[in-house]
Amino acid sequence: MTTAVRNDDVEDLLRTLAPQVLGSLVRRFGHFDTAEDAVQEALLAAAVQWPKEGVPGNPRGWLITVGSRRLTDLLRAEQARQRREDTVTRWTLPDQWLAPAADRPAAESDDTLILLFMCCHPALSPASQIALTLRAVGGLTTAEIARAFLVPEATMTRRISRAKQRVKDSGIPFGLPPAPERAARLGAVLHVLYLIFNEGYVSTSGPNLHRAELSAEAIRLTRMVHRLLPDDGEVVGLLALMLLTDARRPARTGRDGALIPMAEQDRTLWNADFIAEGVALISDALPRGATGPYQLQAAIAAVHDEAPTAEATDWPQIEALYELLMRISGNPMVALNHAVAVAMARGPRAGLDLLAELESDERIAADHRLYAVRAHLLEMAGDLATARECYLEAARRTTSLPQQRYLHARAARLG
Amino acid sequence: MKYMIMLYGSQQDYDFLSGKPGDQPAWSAEDVAAMHGFMEKWNQDLVDSGEFVDARGLSAPVHARRVQLKDGVPVVTDGPYPETQEVLAGYTIVECESFDRATEIAARLADTPHPDDASLAHEWFVDVRPIMEDRGELDG
């Protein structure tokens, strides 16, 4: 029993099923690294066959069957080669034993979460965590990930295989991390998703300011985690933050690709659906107990998005939210944004005083953003000559072309 | 998910356990009781955790019969194994949440007590194998 479908629908379906199929193979047969390759091959086979022949009645079962067969083939070849080379894999069991299962079959949702925890394991570098998450949980091909990160495919292939090898070598058993570790490990997962989102929203190098597909993928994966952990406040906070930030994407760059600061954006271009969804999520989550950094950042984004004009922005509220955020996060970027909010609420001089305190923080002292903010505040205060110098200095310190163009344009306006 | 944990032994191993004198001292009744006690506890833990499905032990390898075709006719051979060949001695089927969990369960058997002076005829090992879930897996 099959049904005819469009290519896009098949792609969406495959992306949804990818982590479930991989989870099911690794749970049953182990071999995280080889199983991941087998699943990619099964996804490819489906992407070719289903649009032509229709989606099978049990698409997940189909993928698991094809994936298992590929896994058997790959293992057979691998083990034969290892015996020839006398490099048979031996490993010791981890000290940490899995708890005996309660009397229940494992839920599908567990598999996807377990995979996320594996891909974001602290033994991996952030770049590896991101790449592995996109491939193993997101179901993206190595070529797609390489394109999104503007690196050659060979580089990405090496990065992903090394990451898979590390996961395998660490001997992590396929299961959820023990309860005491779980919160910290979930924090790592959310951080990786946020990095993927930001990579898409603010591209750090190259001519394109945003690579929308990465942001869309981060939102899709965060929605998935939210479905799996509906009661987690920080997951809601992160999803709301992404939606409320991404809502401004259409207004963020002009026709020529130049950056447009929020104060000058055409707010009618903002994505009203995302704003409505993000505001609803955060309004629902805020009163429900502990407020974490993602919730606070989402609340700040909501205040911005709900202002009909830049002038109508409720800066005192944003200042207060940044103060709360500073109490729980030692991030100098938070302090920088706080200084902006203070300047907007109480005048540029008050903001400049706070910036002076930040200059001794070596994590941000050389960052172009500190110079850009100082330039803005000096301009607000009427010190145009010094502002112009600061804009030029900020442009010298950033690698992003759109940022450079924007900062040079600001400097040029001041003579 | 179901897994079979397979334990091996040769006719020689069976002989040691049954107290038959051989190349090395046979196991004493206490040694055998300690081993059985350990195995029973291992088994009971699986029953308690809900992961136990089935377990069977096989008679000594000398009792084995092999049926094979010779010139198109089925022929029976008694005791086809050399006495030091390790063959399946028993199995335990567990139903648990992952291969990793089944592997841990099997690994606990490495602590099985044996007499200090007993050296097994071979290096000790057990195998863990996933059991097919449905007929579809046979159509490779």
Side-chain angles (χ1 to χ4, degrees), chain A residues 24 26-31 65 68-69 91 93-94 96-104 106 172-176, chain B residues 1-3 48-51 95-101 103-105 107-108 130-134 136-137 139-140:
Chain A
S24 147
V26 179
R27 183 182 281 286
R28 185 147 175 236
F29 298 114
H31 303 285
T65 303
S68 315
R69 283 179 199 157
W91 39 284
L93 290 169
Q96 206 162 54
W97 291 43
L98 293 160
D103 269 334
R104 60 172 179 86
I172 316 161
F174 190 81
L176 288 168
Chain B
M1 270 161 249
K2 293 195 182 76
Y3 297 86
D48 294 346
S49 70
E51 291 166 305
E95 182 159 22
C96 58
E97 68 162 15
S98 67
F99 203 176
D100 287 339
R101 170 66 187 159
T103 309
E104 283 178 358
I105 292 169
R108 292 186 183 175
I131 291 177
M132 286 197 185
E133 303 279 327
D134 59 57
E137 290 191 49
D139 320 328

Side-chain angles (χ1 to χ4, degrees), chain A residues 177-333:
Chain A
E181 275 177 44
R182 216 165 288 176
R185 296 286 303 278
L186 179 63
V189 169
L190 297 184
H191 182 64
V192 166
L193 295 176
Y194 193 41
L195 287 177
I196 294 171
F197 176 82
N198 272 332
E199 185 65 35
Y201 193 74
V202 188
S203 143
T204 46
S205 59
N208 292 328
L209 187 68
H210 35 65
R211 304 197 295 277
E213 65 278 7
L214 277 178
S215 299
E217 182 62 16
I219 290 173
R220 188 182 75 85
L221 291 173
T222 309
R223 278 190 198 283
M224 193 171 69
V225 178
H226 176 49
R227 265 199 310 277
L228 301 176
L229 300 170
D231 301 329
D232 188 287
E234 277 300 83
V235 177
V236 179
L238 179 60
L239 179 56
L241 173 61
M242 286 180 182
L243 292 167
L244 293 164
T245 306
D246 205 59
R248 300 181 213 129
R249 175 193 304 283
R252 200 164 169 256
T253 43
R255 284 228 177 86
D256 55 353
L259 260 180
I260 301 173
M262 204 188 327
E264 295 164 28
Q265 287 172 14
D266 175 355
R267 297 184 177 223
T268 60
L269 296 177
W270 287 0
N271 181 334
D273 291 348
F274 272 17
I275 293 175
E277 189 186 354
V279 167
L281 283 168
I282 192 64
S283 309
D284 183 46
L286 276 175
R288 288 176 178 220
T291 305
Y294 290 121
Q295 281 197 16
L296 285 170
Q297 291 175 82
I300 291 164
V303 174
H304 279 302
D305 288 5
E306 285 178 304
T309 62
E311 294 69 36
T313 306
D314 185 348
W315 286 106
Q317 195 184 350
I318 291 179
E319 181 193 345
L321 286 166
Y322 271 120
E323 258 164 38
L324 286 176
L325 196 51
M326 278 170 75
R327 272 184 229 160
I328 51 176
S329 146
N331 184 333
M333 280 309 297

Side-chain angles (χ1 to χ4, degrees), chain B residues 12 18 26 50 57 66 76 81 86 93-94 96 101 111 122 139:
Chain B
Q12 215 171 49
S18 64
R66 177 170 293 168
V76 180
Y81 314 119
E86 289 110 52
I93 294 178
V94 293
C96 58
R101 170 66 187 159
D111 296 330
H122 54 84
D139 320 328

Side-chain angles (χ1 to χ4, degrees), chain A residues 159-175:
Chain A
R159 185 178 299 169
I160 289 170
S161 16
R162 271 202 308 268
K164 288 202 292 194
Q165 195 59 46
R166 280 205 86 133
V167 170
K168 187 171 181 241
D169 293 347
S170 65
I172 316 161
F174 190 81

